Amino acid sequence: MQHLLSAGDLTRDEALLILDTARELSQVSERSVKKLPTLRGRTVVNLFYEDSTRTRISFEAAAKRMSADVINFSARGSSVSKGESLKDTALTLQAMGADGVVIRHSAPGAARRLADWVDGVVINAGDGTHEHPTQALLDAYTMRERLGRVEGLRVAIVGDIRHSRVARSNVLLLTTLGAEVTLVAPPTLLPVSVDTWPCAVSYDLDEVLPKSDVVMMLRVQAERMHSSFFPSAREYSRRYGLDADRLARMADHAIVMHPGPMVRGMEISAEVADSARSTVTEQVTNGVSVRMAVLYLLLGGAIHRPGNQGEPR
Amino acid sequence: MTTTTRYLIRNARILGGEPTDLLLAHGRIDAIGPDLPADGAEVVDAAGAIALPGLVDLHTHLREPGREDAETVATGSRAAAMGGYTAVFAMANTDPVADTAGVVEQVWRLGRDAGYCDVHPVGAVTVGLKGERLAELGAMADSPAKVRVFSDDGMCVSDAQLMRRALEYVKAFDGVIAQHAQEPRLTEGAQMNEGVVSDRLGLAGWPAVAEEAIIARDCLLAEHVGSRLHVCHVSTKGSVQIIRWAKSRGCDVTAEVTPHHLLLTDELAESYDPVYKVNPPLRTAEDVEALREGLADGTIDIVATDHAPHPSEAKETEWNQAAMGMIGLETALSVVQHTMVDTGLLDWAGVAQRMSATPARIGRLTDQGRPIAVGEPANLTLYDPTATRVIDPATMVSKSRNTPFAGMTLPGRVLATFLRGVPTVLDGKIQ
Ligand SMILES: [Zn+2]
């Protein structure tokens, strides 16, 4: 594995290696000196075309905890906002000798395109409505920490599946790891070919809730109602929002996840978001460990497919 | 170039038949038969290559005026000649739009000045391609360019009433409306075929129904008002079925398919390389199969390239931001051989009909798409189907490089193209 562009690129063993490595590296975050020398001398560029402070900070913290040099290259105020093409930016990063580029972009496939143009490692930190593989990894990591495993877990992913990079990456990764995924959404917010996806589909949240070990709520943009994906925020919330009543009908051990940012009162009530069943803040913490593992394995050169010699980069 | 030179083509197989000689003189085919005497004529050894009537492309974007960085009438018509074409129809979505007699006449004159093939401008149906009111169709028809094909290609004439009026109006001068069938609301922001691949890639879908619904509507409209309709770049199985049904009802509809839709599928988008981004989008293998069948059985009448040149910066970008379209003039015949002839679906007579005679008839050209016979205009293509070539964008004559066939090995090579007896291509090289 040279890049991390899609959660679907990961074999089961590779995914488990990332999660195991993240576990080890999480110890670092608990130490008073939160720093490893592992990536000293390596340069990681955070190339963010979309505002996503939480993801950028997470990658930045992960890289710095391993002593990498971090350059934040945000689209705002840079040559990018003056119309420089992604390709020219890629060539610039190449000339700067970037060992790894973490890219966040509104265009699906932007990370893949970038990987065609630079020699260094490309990590997809969210490309439009396509994927967000490190989010799926941190979600799987969080499930493991809370419930002890991923395999065999019944995971409901609820919300705007059609436009969600988090859903795409999670379906791919969780399936690889042996979880049973059910997508829950109004039909308008499901991809048209969802019946070919390796998961179940339901239009009825109440039917799925009691059977789920994990309920992952996705952010739903209220603007979707202007394109008639649903009639109103109120109706959406009534049919697909997670409130205290619904939480009470979940299994006792079941957890509530959300990739953030949450729209409280829309897909999730404040009460649920702040409850002990919610893993929202753990997900943020775990994000750093998982991203450390990804950077370590891709830039440090230790990841390899079974039977293959990993090549140091 | 001079028309006084006579050419004797040795050992050409007309439409794939037995080898024979053809003598071209004074712009016409002067004699056909074995062992014709050279008699001072320039001899071209076809060495068993196939002779086809000069190809006619009903759907080309030459980009001039306005986007001369992508293509000009001169470079585009040279590319056409390299592909074996002796006539092309230049779409109206230029800048300014070809919606007046002045612009169509300009394009027509540029084509004449270049001299590589006949360039017939297509007139816009509506002013500025805006879909709001009719352009002066009659003025374009009466201009020296004698426009007979009208299209807002790139945009769909989506307003049903306006489409009805356009279909009716052009009957006065035997015109035809060539519709780019794309229901606009169903395709807002659309990036690729809607289906398994678009869902996986997170790219906004362009559903087949957006094409099929317009085709069905337009066939019914054309039938109702007794007009001619031409459907541009049919891309789905459903569209083939609808056109087959409309023809069976007696609707005067013709349809075209592009070479790329005969060969390529939406899975190519997996690379996110916008060289595969085109409108209508590449569809599924099932659609490709239906298109080939439709072309073979005559439901789809012709192959048209939809040659759509773009400068590299319009393609070396994120998929979303990239321009739609592919170049196709220099590869069309090879793709048709590969998909239709080598598969046994068409013989060379069938190819000549679909790439020369019928497009000429739809466009109401009288001196193109003619049979290869004594006395006919000497518009000819010599094509070696036994050759193979790896498609290399760098060797394209077109000003643009956006070929989706780059790196593919395709059969066949155009050896020579004659426009009214004058070689525009000889020994596979532009003259
Ligand atoms: Zn078109």
Side-chain angles (χ1 to χ4, degrees):
Chain A
M1 192 179 64
Q2 196 200 336
H3 308 291
L4 181 59
L5 305 178
S6 162
D9 295 341
L10 295 170
T11 64
R12 187 171 179 280
D13 287 345
E14 284 170 341
L16 290 174
L17 177 59
I18 293 171
L19 298 183
D20 291 342
T21 307
R23 187 96 220 280
E24 283 172 42
L25 293 171
S26 71
Q27 321 295 333
V28 177
S29 311
E30 288 156 18
R31 300 200 312 220
S32 55
V33 180
K34 297 183 167 68
K35 231 171 163 124
L36 287 174
T38 325
L39 296 182
R40 182 162 294 149
R42 302 297 181 106
T43 303
V44 174
V45 175
N46 280 327
L47 179 59
F48 274 57
Y49 285 80
E50 275 189 331
D51 274 335
S52 178
T53 312
R54 63 164 59 213
T55 306
R56 185 181 55 73
I57 288 176
S58 182
F59 270 106
E60 188 174 348
K64 284 185 171 165
R65 275 179 203 177
M66 291 188 295
S67 309
D69 297 321
V70 178
I71 299 172
N72 286 317
F73 198 104
S74 99
R76 184 171 298 163
S78 71
S79 52
V80 170
S81 59
K82 296 179 194 111
E84 184 178 81
S85 74
L86 179 61
K87 182 172 185 181
D88 285 334
T89 303
L91 298 179
T92 303
L93 300 180
Q94 178 78 355
M96 283 163 49
D99 299 294
V101 183
V102 176
I103 179 174
R104 170 72 153 239
H105 200 291
S106 62
R112 169 65 197 267
R113 288 297 275 162
L114 185 69
D116 291 338
W117 294 323
V118 297
D119 292 335
V121 167
V122 175
I123 296 168
N124 182 1
D127 59 337
T129 48
H130 178 222
E131 282 207 47
H132 194 357
T134 58
Q135 177 70 44
L137 284 161
L138 78 87
D139 289 339
Y141 182 90
T142 304
M143 290 176 209
R144 259 185 150 194
E145 292 296 298
R146 274 283 191 124
L147 301 168
R149 68 202 160 101
V150 175
E151 189 159 10
L153 285 184
R154 295 162 304 175
V155 181
I157 305 178
V158 187
D160 186 357
I161 311 293
R162 181 190 283 248
H163 303 98
S164 173
R165 52 187 167 216
V166 176
R168 274 180 184 75
S169 287
N170 262 301
V171 168
L172 291 166
L173 182 71
L174 294 175
T175 311
T176 299
L177 293 174
E180 292 170 34
V181 178
T182 302
L183 303 177
V184 184
T188 45
L189 292 179
L190 288 164
V192 73
S193 72
V194 73
D195 57 330
T196 66
W197 287 20
C199 55
V201 173
S202 173
Y203 307 139
D204 184 354
L205 179 58
D206 290 313
E207 178 223 11
V208 175
L209 275 184
K211 299 184 281 188
S212 300
D213 304 304
V214 177
V215 178
M216 185 185 297
M217 303 305 294
L218 300 177
R219 177 167 173 229
V220 174
Q221 294 171 292
E223 308 89 77
R224 299 280 179 221
M225 75 184 184
H226 301 311
S227 316
S228 290
F229 285 101
F230 49 86
S232 68
R234 192 168 58 181
E235 175 159 324
Y236 181 85
S237 181
R238 208 178 281 148
R239 291 174 70 88
Y240 295 100
L242 191 59
D243 58 10
D245 282 351
R246 285 198 165 112
L247 184 68
R249 275 178 266 143
M250 287 169 51
D252 291 338
H253 69 277
I255 57 172
V256 175
M257 305 183 72
H258 196 299
M262 292 182 281
V263 188
R264 289 169 187 249
M266 178 74 176
E267 74 269 3
I268 192 163
S269 73
E271 220 179 332
V272 176
D274 299 331
S275 80
R277 311 281 286 280
S278 157
T279 64
V280 174
T281 51
E282 288 154 68
Q283 286 171 269
V284 175
T285 310
N286 295 340
V288 177
S289 304
V290 162
R291 285 164 182 138
M292 285 173 78
V294 168
L295 288 168
Y296 171 73
L297 293 169
L298 283 175
L299 288 166
I303 198 167
H304 41 81
R305 290 172 194 278
N308 263 4
Q309 198 64 35
E311 265 185 42
R313 293 193 49 83
Chain B
M1 282 189 281
T2 162
T3 48
T4 56
T5 310
R6 299 181 308 141
Y7 286 88
L8 178 65
I9 301 169
R10 290 248 185 254
N11 289 315
R13 298 190 291 124
I14 298 171
L15 305 183
E18 290 305 307
T20 189
D21 298 351
L22 297 97
L23 181 66
L24 316 183
H26 312 296
R28 302 213 161 250
I29 300 172
D30 204 49
I32 296 176
D35 305 320
L36 294 179
D39 212 7
E42 193 92 10
V43 175
V44 176
D45 184 7
I50 290 168
L52 297 169
L55 306 183
V56 177
D57 190 7
L58 199 63
H59 191 148
T60 310
H61 297 272
L62 296 183
R63 301 294 187 223
E64 191 177 3
R67 288 308 304 265
E68 291 83 355
D69 57 329
E71 196 82 283
T72 64
V73 171
T75 60
S77 56
R78 277 203 285 273
M82 280 297 280
Y85 287 90
T86 52
V88 299
F89 286 77
M91 277 299 175
N93 61 341
T94 48
D95 182 16
V97 171
D99 58 0
T100 63
V103 178
V104 294
E105 193 178 332
Q106 181 197 356
V107 172
W108 178 71
R109 286 195 192 285
L110 286 167
R112 294 231 310 188
D113 293 348
Y116 284 93
C117 67
D118 293 345
V119 174
H120 297 280
V122 172
V125 177
T126 67
V127 175
L129 309 177
K130 288 198 169 74
E132 289 163 1
R133 56 200 177 85
L134 287 185
E136 287 188 351
L137 308 180
M140 291 187 271
D142 294 341
S143 78
K146 292 188 176 59
V147 176
R148 290 296 176 272
V149 181
F150 298 89
S151 181
D152 275 1
D153 183 61
M155 308 293 285
C156 180
V157 183
S158 62
D159 181 309
Q161 185 69 300
L162 191 58
M163 183 63 180
R164 174 199 170 138
R165 296 290 181 241
L167 285 166
E168 288 179 310
Y169 192 79
V170 299
K171 284 203 280 187
F173 33 85
D174 198 20
V176 65
I177 305 295
Q179 175 71 296
H180 170 115
Q182 175 179 5
E183 209 294 314
R185 286 279 287 145
L186 285 172
T187 50
E188 278 169 15
Q191 296 292 326
M192 66 170 297
N193 180 49
E194 180 166 282
V196 173
V197 182
S198 68
D199 284 344
R200 184 160 63 234
L201 299 183
L203 288 168
W206 198 132
V209 61
E211 173 174 312
E212 292 155 6
I214 293 292
I215 294 176
R217 180 201 77 179
D218 287 352
C219 286
L220 294 169
L221 276 175
E223 191 184 336
H224 180 60
V225 299
S227 294
R228 279 207 293 149
L229 167 71
H230 178 73
V231 183
C232 295
H233 41 53
V234 169
S235 71
T236 77
K237 181 181 179 175
S239 298
V240 175
Q241 291 168 334
I242 289 163
I243 293 163
R244 191 174 284 135
W245 168 84
K247 285 186 169 185
S248 75
R249 286 165 60 103
C251 173
D252 193 359
V253 57
T254 53
E256 73 190 30
V257 62
T258 70
H260 47 270
H261 287 114
L262 287 172
L263 182 58
L264 309 176
T265 62
D266 63 352
E267 283 167 9
L268 289 163
E270 300 266 10
S271 65
Y272 287 102
D273 183 343
V275 77
Y276 303 114
K277 182 175 177 181
V278 64
N279 191 19
L282 301 177
R283 305 287 188 183
T284 68
E286 200 183 345
D287 295 304
V288 167
E289 193 187 343
L291 292 168
R292 290 182 186 185
E293 276 171 26
L295 183 62
D297 72 17
T299 302
I300 296 173
D301 302 82
I302 65 169
V303 175
T305 65
D306 196 5
H307 177 81
H310 290 290
S312 62
E313 64 268 24
K315 287 291 191 180
E316 287 187 341
T317 176
E318 302 86 315
W319 181 283
N320 277 356
Q321 275 143 44
M324 292 187 275
M326 314 171 153
I327 58 171
L329 284 166
E330 295 169 70
T331 44
L333 195 47
S334 288
V335 174
V336 170
Q337 181 190 342
H338 179 59
T339 57
M340 301 300 294
V341 180
D342 292 351
T343 52
L345 289 166
L346 278 186
D347 58 16
W348 290 105
V351 171
Q353 189 186 34
R354 287 158 179 78
M355 296 183 78
S356 178
T358 307
R361 179 176 57 74
I362 294 167
R364 295 301 190 247
L365 304 183
T366 51
D367 57 346
Q368 293 277 354
R370 301 292 306 163
I372 299 176
V374 173
E376 293 289 352
N379 298 318
L380 287 175
T381 297
L382 297 180
Y383 179 74
D384 175 9
T386 64
T388 57
R389 54 181 177 141
V390 179
I391 304 303
D392 177 4
T395 64
M396 293 277 166
V397 169
S398 167
K399 203 165 185 179
S400 289
R401 299 283 173 266
N402 52 306
T403 171
F405 307 112
M408 288 179 68
T409 302
L410 289 175
R413 197 166 75 96
V414 172
L415 299 180
T417 308
F418 290 89
L419 176 64
R420 284 182 285 279
V422 179
T424 53
V425 174
L426 215 49
D427 287 330
K429 292 182 190 70
I430 194 80
Q431 295 300 291

